[in-house]
Amino acid sequence: MDENKEPPEREEVNVNDYVPGSALAAVDAKIAHIDALFKNLLKSAARALVSEMRGGLPPPEPSQDSLIPEATFEAISSHLKKCKNVIVLTGAGISTAAGIPDFRTPGSGLYDNVGDYIKRYNLSSAQQLFSYELFTHDPEPFYALARELKYPGESVCPTLAHYFIKLLSDKNVLLRNYTQNIDMLQSITGIPDEKVFEVHGSFRSGTCMSCKAKYDKEQVKSAVMSGKVPECDELVDGVKCCGVMKPDIVMFGEPLPQQYLCKISCDQEKCDLLIVMGTSLQVGPVNKIPNDIPRSTPRLLINMEEVRFQSPSF
Protein backbone atom coordinates (compact mmCIF):
# COMPACT_ATOMS: atom_id res chain seq x y z
CA MET A 1 0.00 0.00 0.00
CA ASP A 2 1.36 3.42 -0.98
CA GLU A 3 1.52 5.43 2.27
CA ASN A 4 2.09 8.65 0.32
CA LYS A 5 -1.05 8.26 -1.73
CA GLU A 6 -3.71 10.85 -0.90
CA PRO A 7 -6.82 9.27 0.67
CA PRO A 8 -9.96 9.46 -1.47
CA GLU A 9 -12.39 12.27 -0.81
CA ARG A 10 -15.21 11.16 1.46
CA GLU A 11 -18.69 11.44 0.01
CA GLU A 12 -20.80 14.40 1.02
CA VAL A 13 -23.60 13.47 3.40
CA ASN A 14 -26.71 15.12 4.72
CA VAL A 15 -26.76 15.02 8.51
CA ASN A 16 -30.56 14.97 8.43
CA ASP A 17 -30.39 11.52 6.84
CA TYR A 18 -29.08 10.27 10.16
CA VAL A 19 -31.89 11.72 12.26
CA PRO A 20 -35.07 9.59 12.53
CA GLY A 21 -38.30 11.37 11.67
CA SER A 22 -39.65 10.90 15.19
CA ALA A 23 -36.62 12.66 16.66
CA LEU A 24 -36.91 15.53 14.21
CA ALA A 25 -40.57 15.99 15.00
CA ALA A 26 -39.97 15.92 18.75
CA VAL A 27 -37.18 18.48 18.83
CA ASP A 28 -37.81 20.46 15.65
CA ALA A 29 -37.45 23.93 17.16
CA LYS A 30 -34.50 22.96 19.32
CA ILE A 31 -32.65 21.31 16.46
CA ALA A 32 -33.11 24.49 14.43
CA HIS A 33 -31.51 26.40 17.30
CA ILE A 34 -28.61 23.95 17.50
CA ASP A 35 -28.20 24.01 13.72
CA ALA A 36 -27.91 27.80 13.76
CA LEU A 37 -25.53 27.60 16.69
CA PHE A 38 -23.31 25.14 14.85
CA LYS A 39 -23.20 27.28 11.72
CA ASN A 40 -22.34 30.43 13.64
CA LEU A 41 -19.76 28.87 15.91
CA LEU A 42 -18.06 26.80 13.26
CA LYS A 43 -17.75 29.76 10.91
CA SER A 44 -16.17 31.87 13.64
CA ALA A 45 -14.05 29.14 15.20
CA ALA A 46 -10.75 30.74 14.32
CA ARG A 47 -11.77 34.19 15.51
CA ALA A 48 -14.28 33.85 18.38
CA LEU A 49 -13.04 30.63 19.89
CA VAL A 50 -9.49 31.91 20.01
CA SER A 51 -9.72 35.68 20.28
CA GLU A 52 -12.76 36.17 22.52
CA MET A 53 -12.21 33.13 24.75
CA ARG A 54 -8.60 34.11 25.33
CA GLY A 55 -9.35 37.69 26.27
CA GLY A 56 -8.80 39.24 22.84
CA LEU A 57 -5.44 37.62 22.21
CA PRO A 58 -4.66 36.91 18.55
CA PRO A 59 -4.88 33.32 17.31
CA PRO A 60 -1.75 31.33 18.20
CA GLU A 61 0.53 30.30 15.38
CA PRO A 62 0.42 26.54 14.78
CA SER A 63 3.52 24.74 15.96
CA GLN A 64 6.05 23.76 13.30
CA ASP A 65 4.85 20.15 13.40
CA SER A 66 1.14 21.09 13.38
CA LEU A 67 -1.17 18.98 11.22
CA ILE A 68 -2.92 22.14 9.96
CA PRO A 69 -1.31 25.17 8.31
CA GLU A 70 -3.37 27.79 10.16
CA ALA A 71 -5.84 28.13 13.04
CA THR A 72 -9.01 28.45 10.97
CA PHE A 73 -12.19 26.44 10.63
CA GLU A 74 -11.46 25.97 6.94
CA ALA A 75 -8.16 24.30 7.85
CA ILE A 76 -9.92 22.09 10.42
CA SER A 77 -12.59 21.14 7.87
CA SER A 78 -9.98 20.20 5.29
CA HIS A 79 -8.02 18.24 7.88
CA LEU A 80 -11.13 16.30 8.96
CA LYS A 81 -11.34 14.71 5.52
CA LYS A 82 -8.01 13.01 6.23
CA CYS A 83 -8.65 12.04 9.85
CA LYS A 84 -8.91 8.49 11.11
CA ASN A 85 -8.88 8.94 14.90
CA VAL A 86 -11.11 11.81 16.03
CA ILE A 87 -11.75 12.21 19.75
CA VAL A 88 -14.91 14.10 20.73
CA LEU A 89 -15.13 15.42 24.29
CA THR A 90 -18.68 16.39 25.21
CA GLY A 91 -20.41 18.04 28.14
CA ALA A 92 -23.91 18.99 29.24
CA GLY A 93 -24.16 21.75 26.64
CA ILE A 94 -24.89 19.30 23.82
CA SER A 95 -28.00 18.00 25.66
CA THR A 96 -29.65 21.24 26.77
CA ALA A 97 -31.55 21.50 23.47
CA ALA A 98 -33.10 18.12 24.32
CA GLY A 99 -34.56 19.64 27.48
CA ILE A 100 -31.90 18.40 29.90
CA PRO A 101 -30.51 21.30 31.97
CA ASP A 102 -26.79 21.70 32.47
CA PHE A 103 -25.29 22.61 35.83
CA ARG A 104 -23.92 26.13 35.54
CA THR A 105 -25.90 28.19 33.01
CA PRO A 106 -27.33 31.21 34.91
CA GLY A 107 -31.09 30.98 35.20
CA SER A 108 -31.65 27.59 33.54
CA GLY A 109 -28.85 25.48 35.05
CA LEU A 110 -29.50 23.00 37.84
CA TYR A 111 -27.44 24.96 40.35
CA ASP A 112 -29.78 27.94 39.96
CA ASN A 113 -32.96 25.85 40.32
CA VAL A 114 -32.50 23.62 43.34
CA GLY A 115 -33.03 26.24 46.05
CA ASP A 116 -36.04 24.34 47.42
CA TYR A 117 -33.91 21.23 47.88
CA ILE A 118 -31.17 23.17 49.63
CA LYS A 119 -33.71 24.56 52.12
CA ARG A 120 -35.68 21.32 52.52
CA TYR A 121 -32.62 19.20 53.28
CA ASN A 122 -30.55 21.93 54.96
CA LEU A 123 -27.70 21.65 52.46
CA SER A 124 -24.72 23.96 52.24
CA SER A 125 -24.71 24.22 48.44
CA ALA A 126 -26.34 22.96 45.26
CA GLN A 127 -23.27 20.86 44.50
CA GLN A 128 -23.82 18.92 47.73
CA LEU A 129 -26.91 17.34 46.13
CA PHE A 130 -24.56 15.40 43.88
CA SER A 131 -21.90 14.54 46.45
CA TYR A 132 -21.00 10.99 47.34
CA GLU A 133 -20.59 11.94 51.00
CA LEU A 134 -24.19 13.14 51.25
CA PHE A 135 -25.50 10.12 49.32
CA THR A 136 -23.84 7.69 51.73
CA HIS A 137 -25.45 9.44 54.69
CA ASP A 138 -28.79 10.37 53.15
CA PRO A 139 -29.62 9.34 49.56
CA GLU A 140 -33.12 10.86 49.68
CA PRO A 141 -32.15 14.37 48.39
CA PHE A 142 -30.53 12.87 45.29
CA TYR A 143 -33.42 10.52 44.56
CA ALA A 144 -35.98 13.28 45.11
CA LEU A 145 -34.24 15.43 42.49
CA ALA A 146 -33.77 12.47 40.11
CA ARG A 147 -37.51 11.75 40.30
CA GLU A 148 -38.34 15.36 39.48
CA LEU A 149 -35.99 15.30 36.50
CA LYS A 150 -37.43 11.92 35.44
CA TYR A 151 -34.05 10.31 35.02
CA PRO A 152 -33.55 8.23 33.05
CA GLY A 153 -36.25 9.65 30.76
CA GLU A 154 -37.65 7.97 27.67
CA SER A 155 -39.19 11.06 26.05
CA VAL A 156 -35.86 12.85 25.54
CA CYS A 157 -34.42 12.76 22.02
CA PRO A 158 -30.79 13.24 20.98
CA THR A 159 -29.79 16.58 19.49
CA LEU A 160 -28.04 17.37 16.24
CA ALA A 161 -24.75 17.38 18.16
CA HIS A 162 -25.28 13.72 19.12
CA TYR A 163 -26.05 12.81 15.51
CA PHE A 164 -22.94 14.66 14.36
CA ILE A 165 -20.91 12.29 16.54
CA LYS A 166 -22.90 9.37 15.07
CA LEU A 167 -21.96 10.62 11.59
CA LEU A 168 -18.28 10.60 12.53
CA SER A 169 -18.73 7.02 13.74
CA ASP A 170 -20.53 5.98 10.55
CA LYS A 171 -17.70 7.45 8.46
CA ASN A 172 -15.20 5.38 10.50
CA VAL A 173 -13.27 8.39 11.78
CA LEU A 174 -14.47 8.41 15.43
CA LEU A 175 -11.87 7.01 17.78
CA ARG A 176 -13.85 7.74 20.95
CA ASN A 177 -16.52 10.00 22.39
CA TYR A 178 -15.57 10.86 25.95
CA THR A 179 -18.80 12.18 27.43
CA GLN A 180 -19.26 13.78 30.83
CA ASN A 181 -23.02 13.32 30.50
CA ILE A 182 -25.07 10.66 32.25
CA ASP A 183 -28.13 10.93 29.97
CA MET A 184 -27.19 8.10 27.55
CA LEU A 185 -28.43 10.10 24.54
CA GLN A 186 -25.44 9.08 22.44
CA SER A 187 -26.55 5.45 22.76
CA ILE A 188 -29.99 6.27 21.35
CA THR A 189 -28.36 7.45 18.10
CA GLY A 190 -26.79 4.03 17.62
CA ILE A 191 -23.14 4.91 18.23
CA PRO A 192 -21.44 1.59 19.11
CA ASP A 193 -20.84 1.20 22.84
CA GLU A 194 -17.12 0.63 22.29
CA LYS A 195 -16.86 4.09 20.71
CA VAL A 196 -18.24 5.82 23.81
CA PHE A 197 -16.70 6.25 27.25
CA GLU A 198 -19.11 7.60 29.86
CA VAL A 199 -16.58 9.32 32.09
CA HIS A 200 -19.13 10.05 34.83
CA GLY A 201 -21.10 6.84 34.39
CA SER A 202 -24.82 6.72 33.65
CA PHE A 203 -28.19 5.40 34.73
CA ARG A 204 -27.84 2.31 32.54
CA SER A 205 -26.95 0.23 35.60
CA GLY A 206 -26.86 0.36 39.39
CA THR A 207 -25.06 -1.30 42.28
CA CYS A 208 -26.04 -2.13 45.83
CA MET A 209 -23.73 -0.23 48.17
CA SER A 210 -23.72 -3.16 50.63
CA CYS A 211 -23.65 -6.48 48.77
CA LYS A 212 -22.59 -5.09 45.34
CA ALA A 213 -25.53 -6.74 43.54
CA LYS A 214 -26.01 -5.32 40.05
CA TYR A 215 -29.19 -3.81 38.62
CA ASP A 216 -30.00 -3.14 34.95
CA LYS A 217 -31.37 0.02 33.35
CA GLU A 218 -35.05 -0.87 33.79
CA GLN A 219 -34.53 -1.78 37.44
CA VAL A 220 -32.70 1.51 38.02
CA LYS A 221 -35.50 3.45 36.35
CA SER A 222 -38.14 1.69 38.44
CA ALA A 223 -36.13 2.36 41.59
CA VAL A 224 -35.64 6.05 40.80
CA MET A 225 -39.33 6.62 40.07
CA SER A 226 -40.64 4.51 42.98
CA GLY A 227 -40.98 7.52 45.28
CA LYS A 228 -38.66 6.17 47.94
CA VAL A 229 -35.00 5.31 48.43
CA PRO A 230 -34.55 1.93 46.68
CA GLU A 231 -33.41 -0.97 48.85
CA CYS A 232 -31.59 -4.03 47.55
CA ASP A 233 -33.76 -7.16 47.61
CA GLU A 234 -30.92 -9.65 47.12
CA LEU A 235 -30.68 -12.46 49.66
CA VAL A 236 -27.40 -12.59 51.60
CA ASP A 237 -27.10 -15.73 53.73
CA GLY A 238 -30.85 -16.12 53.44
CA VAL A 239 -31.57 -12.58 54.65
CA LYS A 240 -32.74 -9.67 52.47
CA CYS A 241 -29.82 -7.27 52.00
CA CYS A 242 -31.77 -3.97 52.25
CA GLY A 243 -28.71 -1.99 51.21
CA VAL A 244 -29.15 1.20 49.19
CA MET A 245 -29.05 0.84 45.41
CA LYS A 246 -26.91 3.55 43.80
CA PRO A 247 -27.03 4.31 40.07
CA ASP A 248 -23.61 3.78 38.49
CA ILE A 249 -22.90 7.49 38.10
CA VAL A 250 -19.78 9.22 39.41
CA MET A 251 -20.70 11.71 42.12
CA PHE A 252 -18.54 14.52 43.45
CA GLY A 253 -15.93 12.96 45.69
CA GLU A 254 -15.89 9.63 43.87
CA PRO A 255 -12.98 8.44 41.70
CA LEU A 256 -13.48 8.00 37.97
CA PRO A 257 -13.79 4.48 36.53
CA GLN A 258 -10.46 2.64 36.64
CA GLN A 259 -10.52 2.11 32.88
CA TYR A 260 -10.50 5.85 32.18
CA LEU A 261 -6.78 6.54 32.58
CA CYS A 262 -5.85 3.44 30.62
CA LYS A 263 -8.26 4.25 27.80
CA ILE A 264 -7.43 7.95 27.43
CA SER A 265 -3.66 7.45 27.69
CA CYS A 266 -3.84 5.05 24.76
CA ASP A 267 -6.31 7.11 22.69
CA GLN A 268 -4.62 10.47 23.07
CA GLU A 269 -1.48 9.24 21.31
CA LYS A 270 -3.55 8.20 18.27
CA CYS A 271 -5.74 11.32 18.16
CA ASP A 272 -5.47 13.34 14.94
CA LEU A 273 -8.29 15.79 15.78
CA LEU A 274 -9.93 16.76 19.10
CA ILE A 275 -13.42 18.28 19.04
CA VAL A 276 -14.66 19.70 22.35
CA MET A 277 -18.39 20.49 22.49
CA GLY A 278 -20.72 21.84 25.14
CA THR A 279 -18.37 21.98 28.10
CA SER A 280 -16.72 24.80 30.02
CA LEU A 281 -13.79 22.51 30.91
CA GLN A 282 -14.12 23.25 34.61
CA VAL A 283 -14.23 19.65 35.81
CA GLY A 284 -11.13 17.47 36.03
CA PRO A 285 -9.52 15.33 35.02
CA VAL A 286 -11.19 15.42 31.59
CA ASN A 287 -10.29 19.10 31.26
CA LYS A 288 -6.68 17.94 30.91
CA ILE A 289 -7.39 16.13 27.64
CA PRO A 290 -6.80 19.20 25.40
CA ASN A 291 -3.33 19.63 26.85
CA ASP A 292 -2.43 15.94 27.02
CA ILE A 293 -2.91 15.04 23.36
CA PRO A 294 0.08 15.62 21.05
CA ARG A 295 0.80 19.32 20.52
CA SER A 296 0.61 18.90 16.75
CA THR A 297 -3.00 17.66 16.96
CA PRO A 298 -5.60 20.33 16.06
CA ARG A 299 -8.29 21.17 18.63
CA LEU A 300 -11.72 22.62 17.90
CA LEU A 301 -13.78 24.10 20.74
CA ILE A 302 -17.54 24.66 20.31
CA ASN A 303 -19.23 26.20 23.33
CA MET A 304 -21.86 28.82 24.16
CA GLU A 305 -19.78 30.58 26.81
CA GLU A 306 -16.25 31.79 27.26
CA VAL A 307 -13.86 29.08 28.34
CA ARG A 308 -11.09 30.39 30.53
CA PHE A 309 -8.74 27.48 30.10
CA GLN A 310 -5.01 27.62 29.64
CA SER A 311 -4.21 25.59 26.55
CA PRO A 312 -1.76 26.03 23.73
CA SER A 313 -4.49 25.16 21.26
CA PHE A 314 -7.66 27.13 22.08
PDB file of all heavy atoms in Angstrom, residues 186-198:
ATOM      1  N   GLN A 186     -26.268   9.537  23.547  1.00  0.00           N
ATOM      2  CA  GLN A 186     -25.436   9.083  22.442  1.00  0.00           C
ATOM      3  C   GLN A 186     -25.767   7.632  22.073  1.00  0.00           C
ATOM      4  O   GLN A 186     -25.665   7.234  20.907  1.00  0.00           O
ATOM      5  CB  GLN A 186     -23.944   9.232  22.784  1.00  0.00           C
ATOM      6  CG  GLN A 186     -23.400   8.278  23.815  1.00  0.00           C
ATOM      7  CD  GLN A 186     -23.792   8.648  25.235  1.00  0.00           C
ATOM      8  OE1 GLN A 186     -24.120   9.798  25.505  1.00  0.00           O
ATOM      9  NE2 GLN A 186     -23.745   7.686  26.151  1.00  0.00           N
ATOM     10  N   SER A 187     -26.210   6.841  23.037  1.00  0.00           N
ATOM     11  CA  SER A 187     -26.553   5.449  22.756  1.00  0.00           C
ATOM     12  C   SER A 187     -27.807   5.345  21.904  1.00  0.00           C
ATOM     13  O   SER A 187     -27.937   4.441  21.074  1.00  0.00           O
ATOM     14  CB  SER A 187     -26.752   4.671  24.062  1.00  0.00           C
ATOM     15  OG  SER A 187     -25.548   4.630  24.807  1.00  0.00           O
ATOM     16  N   ILE A 188     -28.744   6.293  22.109  1.00  0.00           N
ATOM     17  CA  ILE A 188     -29.987   6.269  21.348  1.00  0.00           C
ATOM     18  C   ILE A 188     -29.715   6.469  19.860  1.00  0.00           C
ATOM     19  O   ILE A 188     -30.427   5.931  19.008  1.00  0.00           O
ATOM     20  CB  ILE A 188     -30.957   7.349  21.874  1.00  0.00           C
ATOM     21  CG1 ILE A 188     -31.336   7.057  23.336  1.00  0.00           C
ATOM     22  CG2 ILE A 188     -32.214   7.431  21.010  1.00  0.00           C
ATOM     23  CD1 ILE A 188     -32.227   8.114  23.958  1.00  0.00           C
ATOM     24  N   THR A 189     -28.674   7.208  19.515  1.00  0.00           N
ATOM     25  CA  THR A 189     -28.358   7.445  18.104  1.00  0.00           C
ATOM     26  C   THR A 189     -27.821   6.196  17.420  1.00  0.00           C
ATOM     27  O   THR A 189     -27.818   6.117  16.189  1.00  0.00           O
ATOM     28  CB  THR A 189     -27.314   8.559  17.946  1.00  0.00           C
ATOM     29  OG1 THR A 189     -26.043   8.104  18.445  1.00  0.00           O
ATOM     30  CG2 THR A 189     -27.737   9.818  18.672  1.00  0.00           C
ATOM     31  N   GLY A 190     -27.338   5.248  18.208  1.00  0.00           N
ATOM     32  CA  GLY A 190     -26.785   4.032  17.625  1.00  0.00           C
ATOM     33  C   GLY A 190     -25.279   4.009  17.540  1.00  0.00           C
ATOM     34  O   GLY A 190     -24.703   3.115  16.900  1.00  0.00           O
ATOM     35  N   ILE A 191     -24.600   4.959  18.177  1.00  0.00           N
ATOM     36  CA  ILE A 191     -23.141   4.906  18.232  1.00  0.00           C
ATOM     37  C   ILE A 191     -22.736   3.635  18.982  1.00  0.00           C
ATOM     38  O   ILE A 191     -23.247   3.365  20.066  1.00  0.00           O
ATOM     39  CB  ILE A 191     -22.561   6.135  18.944  1.00  0.00           C
ATOM     40  CG1 ILE A 191     -22.973   7.422  18.227  1.00  0.00           C
ATOM     41  CG2 ILE A 191     -21.031   6.050  19.019  1.00  0.00           C
ATOM     42  CD1 ILE A 191     -22.564   8.682  18.964  1.00  0.00           C
ATOM     43  N   PRO A 192     -21.848   2.816  18.433  1.00  0.00           N
ATOM     44  CA  PRO A 192     -21.442   1.585  19.114  1.00  0.00           C
ATOM     45  C   PRO A 192     -20.909   1.862  20.520  1.00  0.00           C
ATOM     46  O   PRO A 192     -20.210   2.856  20.733  1.00  0.00           O
ATOM     47  CB  PRO A 192     -20.347   1.019  18.205  1.00  0.00           C
ATOM     48  CG  PRO A 192     -20.640   1.600  16.853  1.00  0.00           C
ATOM     49  CD  PRO A 192     -21.187   2.973  17.112  1.00  0.00           C
ATOM     50  N   ASP A 193     -21.249   0.999  21.453  1.00  0.00           N
ATOM     51  CA  ASP A 193     -20.836   1.197  22.843  1.00  0.00           C
ATOM     52  C   ASP A 193     -19.324   1.324  22.983  1.00  0.00           C
ATOM     53  O   ASP A 193     -18.835   2.090  23.824  1.00  0.00           O
ATOM     54  CB  ASP A 193     -21.329   0.029  23.709  1.00  0.00           C
ATOM     55  CG  ASP A 193     -22.833   0.063  23.915  1.00  0.00           C
ATOM     56  OD1 ASP A 193     -23.446   1.118  23.664  1.00  0.00           O
ATOM     57  OD2 ASP A 193     -23.398  -0.976  24.330  1.00  0.00           O
ATOM     58  N   GLU A 194     -18.574   0.591  22.158  1.00  0.00           N
ATOM     59  CA  GLU A 194     -17.117   0.632  22.288  1.00  0.00           C
ATOM     60  C   GLU A 194     -16.527   1.957  21.839  1.00  0.00           C
ATOM     61  O   GLU A 194     -15.359   2.251  22.111  1.00  0.00           O
ATOM     62  CB  GLU A 194     -16.469  -0.514  21.501  1.00  0.00           C
ATOM     63  CG  GLU A 194     -16.660  -0.450  19.998  1.00  0.00           C
ATOM     64  CD  GLU A 194     -17.914  -1.183  19.529  1.00  0.00           C
ATOM     65  OE1 GLU A 194     -18.798  -1.441  20.373  1.00  0.00           O
ATOM     66  OE2 GLU A 194     -17.982  -1.493  18.329  1.00  0.00           O
ATOM     67  N   LYS A 195     -17.333   2.777  21.150  1.00  0.00           N
ATOM     68  CA  LYS A 195     -16.862   4.086  20.708  1.00  0.00           C
ATOM     69  C   LYS A 195     -17.169   5.190  21.710  1.00  0.00           C
ATOM     70  O   LYS A 195     -16.832   6.347  21.483  1.00  0.00           O
ATOM     71  CB  LYS A 195     -17.511   4.440  19.364  1.00  0.00           C
ATOM     72  CG  LYS A 195     -17.049   3.576  18.195  1.00  0.00           C
ATOM     73  CD  LYS A 195     -15.599   3.841  17.851  1.00  0.00           C
ATOM     74  CE  LYS A 195     -15.172   3.080  16.619  1.00  0.00           C
ATOM     75  NZ  LYS A 195     -13.743   3.347  16.276  1.00  0.00           N
ATOM     76  N   VAL A 196     -17.832   4.836  22.815  1.00  0.00           N
ATOM     77  CA  VAL A 196     -18.242   5.825  23.815  1.00  0.00           C
ATOM     78  C   VAL A 196     -17.658   5.456  25.172  1.00  0.00           C
ATOM     79  O   VAL A 196     -17.697   4.283  25.574  1.00  0.00           O
ATOM     80  CB  VAL A 196     -19.773   5.907  23.919  1.00  0.00           C
ATOM     81  CG1 VAL A 196     -20.182   6.908  24.999  1.00  0.00           C
ATOM     82  CG2 VAL A 196     -20.389   6.297  22.576  1.00  0.00           C
ATOM     83  N   PHE A 197     -17.127   6.461  25.864  1.00  0.00           N
ATOM     84  CA  PHE A 197     -16.701   6.251  27.247  1.00  0.00           C
ATOM     85  C   PHE A 197     -17.442   7.248  28.112  1.00  0.00           C
ATOM     86  O   PHE A 197     -17.233   8.466  27.991  1.00  0.00           O
ATOM     87  CB  PHE A 197     -15.190   6.428  27.412  1.00  0.00           C
ATOM     88  CG  PHE A 197     -14.684   5.913  28.740  1.00  0.00           C
ATOM     89  CD1 PHE A 197     -14.115   4.651  28.837  1.00  0.00           C
ATOM     90  CD2 PHE A 197     -14.797   6.675  29.904  1.00  0.00           C
ATOM     91  CE1 PHE A 197     -13.664   4.170  30.054  1.00  0.00           C
ATOM     92  CE2 PHE A 197     -14.361   6.197  31.116  1.00  0.00           C
ATOM     93  CZ  PHE A 197     -13.785   4.930  31.200  1.00  0.00           C
ATOM     94  N   GLU A 198     -18.325   6.746  28.963  1.00  0.00           N
ATOM     95  CA  GLU A 198     -19.105   7.598  29.864  1.00  0.00           C
ATOM     96  C   GLU A 198     -18.260   7.878  31.108  1.00  0.00           C
ATOM     97  O   GLU A 198     -18.241   7.098  32.056  1.00  0.00           O
ATOM     98  CB  GLU A 198     -20.420   6.910  30.215  1.00  0.00           C
ATOM     99  CG  GLU A 198     -21.332   6.735  29.015  1.00  0.00           C
ATOM    100  CD  GLU A 198     -22.522   5.831  29.264  1.00  0.00           C
ATOM    101  OE1 GLU A 198     -22.386   4.859  30.042  1.00  0.00           O
ATOM    102  OE2 GLU A 198     -23.592   6.071  28.679  1.00  0.00           O
TER     103      GLU A 198
END
